């Protein structure tokens, strides 16, 4: 039977069950609960904004969006967002979803830390970042009711979340610092490592070897 949290239905399908099992096995409780909340917040924001994401596609995007922070899915040669995006696309293609559907989810995951652009794209892309931003930084919580917030957090508690997600970000990115250039991820490395030096775009422009 499909699960209902705060009026949001979590589809009872084999795809959703397999995605849930995969992320449950790969991630700890903090990331698992965060991913489920991201789906729930995203669906609630979608309803408020008049957007209608495909629930299964959004669920996969939400569940896979932080897989790049976990040991079995993380790489060291690209941004963690791309690790999760690649895994989600492969997962959907292996389950006979179309290239367009898989690419839509890839974009949702790849862009989930990039502000402004996702909200102009397909609903799954727009509401994933909305859901993630609500859970991580409290964005747009005034668009949710107290009852919705209480029900989601009861189903998937945020116990120790602020410190825990920061530690998860750091663990997932500390050995690939160059991938944080131009992203908010550099904020995390700077917080944990006072010796971390950001790559500076101005310096790169000034050091460009092309003749003027």
């Amino acid at each position: 039977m499909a699960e209902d949290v705060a009026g949001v239905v979590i589809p009872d399908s084999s795809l959703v069950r397999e995605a849930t099992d995969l992320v449950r096995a790969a991630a700890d409780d903090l990331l698992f609960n965060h991913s489920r909340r991201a789906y729930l917040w995203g669906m609630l924001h979608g309803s408020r904004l008049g957007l209608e994401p495909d629930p299964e596609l959004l669920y996969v995007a939400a569940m896979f969006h932080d897989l790049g922070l976990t040991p079995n899915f993380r790489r060291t040669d690209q941004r963690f967002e791309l690790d999760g995006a690649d895994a989600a696309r492969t997962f959907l293609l292996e389950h006979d979803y179309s290239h367009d559907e898989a690419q839509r989810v890839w974009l949702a995951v790849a862009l989930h830390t990039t502000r402004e652009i996702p909200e102009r794209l397909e609903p799954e892309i727009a509401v994933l970042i909305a859901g993630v931003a609500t859970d991580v930084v409290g964005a747009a919580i005034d668009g949710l009711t107290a009852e919705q917030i209480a029900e989601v957090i009861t189903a998937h508690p945020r116990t120790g979340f602020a410190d825990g997600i920061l530690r998860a970000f750091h663990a997932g990115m500390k050995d690939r610092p160059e991938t944080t250039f131009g992203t908010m991820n550099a904020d995390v490395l700077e917080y944990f490592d006072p010796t971390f030096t950001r790559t500076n775009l101005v310096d790169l422009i000034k050091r460009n070897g092309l003749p003027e």
Side-chain angles (χ1 to χ4, degrees):
M1 185 172 65
E3 184 179 356
D4 183 313
V5 179
V8 175
V9 174
I10 297 175
D12 183 23
S13 67
S14 59
L15 180 83
V16 165
R17 288 191 294 271
E18 287 186 43
T20 300
D21 290 344
L22 184 152
V23 177
R24 172 56 84 187
D28 61 12
D29 286 346
L30 183 135
L31 287 180
F32 178 83
N33 284 322
H34 164 57
S35 299
R36 293 267 287 196
R37 289 193 306 269
Y39 169 76
L40 295 167
W41 302 135
M43 288 293 287
L44 289 169
H45 285 309
S47 179
R48 175 176 63 85
L49 297 169
L51 299 175
E52 297 183 1
D54 180 292
E56 288 191 325
L57 294 182
L58 178 61
Y59 188 84
V60 171
M63 296 308 292
F64 279 66
H65 85 274
D66 274 346
L67 271 188
L69 300 174
T70 67
N72 291 340
F73 287 88
R74 64 185 304 276
R75 293 169 49 171
T76 58
D77 61 338
Q78 63 182 18
R79 290 171 56 165
F80 86 88
E81 301 96 326
L82 298 181
D83 296 336
D86 291 346
R89 179 169 57 193
T90 297
F91 179 78
L92 288 169
L93 291 175
E94 288 176 346
H95 286 77
D96 298 323
Y97 277 73
S98 71
H99 173 80
D100 287 346
E101 290 168 322
Q103 187 65 10
R104 202 184 320 157
V105 171
W106 187 93
L107 283 168
V109 178
L111 293 175
H112 83 265
T113 61
T114 301
R115 295 182 63 249
E116 297 186 83
I117 296 171
E119 66 191 38
R120 302 196 181 193
L121 301 176
E122 289 87 345
E124 294 82 10
I125 304 169
V127 302
L128 176 63
I129 190 172
V132 170
T134 289
D135 206 53
V136 176
V137 299
I141 59 173
D142 56 348
L144 304 168
T145 68
E147 292 77 14
Q148 289 170 332
I149 292 172
E151 192 167 343
V152 170
I153 291 177
T154 296
H156 295 289
R158 296 182 77 255
T159 307
F161 180 73
D163 288 338
I165 196 64
L166 285 171
R167 288 193 297 270
F169 284 146
H170 182 240
M173 297 186 294
K174 64 184 179 181
D175 58 352
R176 45 177 160 177
E178 69 285 348
T179 69
T180 67
F181 171 56
T183 77
M184 63 184 72
N185 298 331
D187 297 342
V188 176
L189 297 189
E190 191 171 63
Y191 173 79
F192 282 96
D193 181 4
T195 68
F196 172 68
T197 302
R198 296 170 182 260
T199 300
N200 188 299
L201 176 61
V202 175
D203 291 340
L204 294 177
I205 293 172
K206 292 287 190 181
R207 293 199 300 264
N208 188 337
L210 290 172
E212 292 194 11

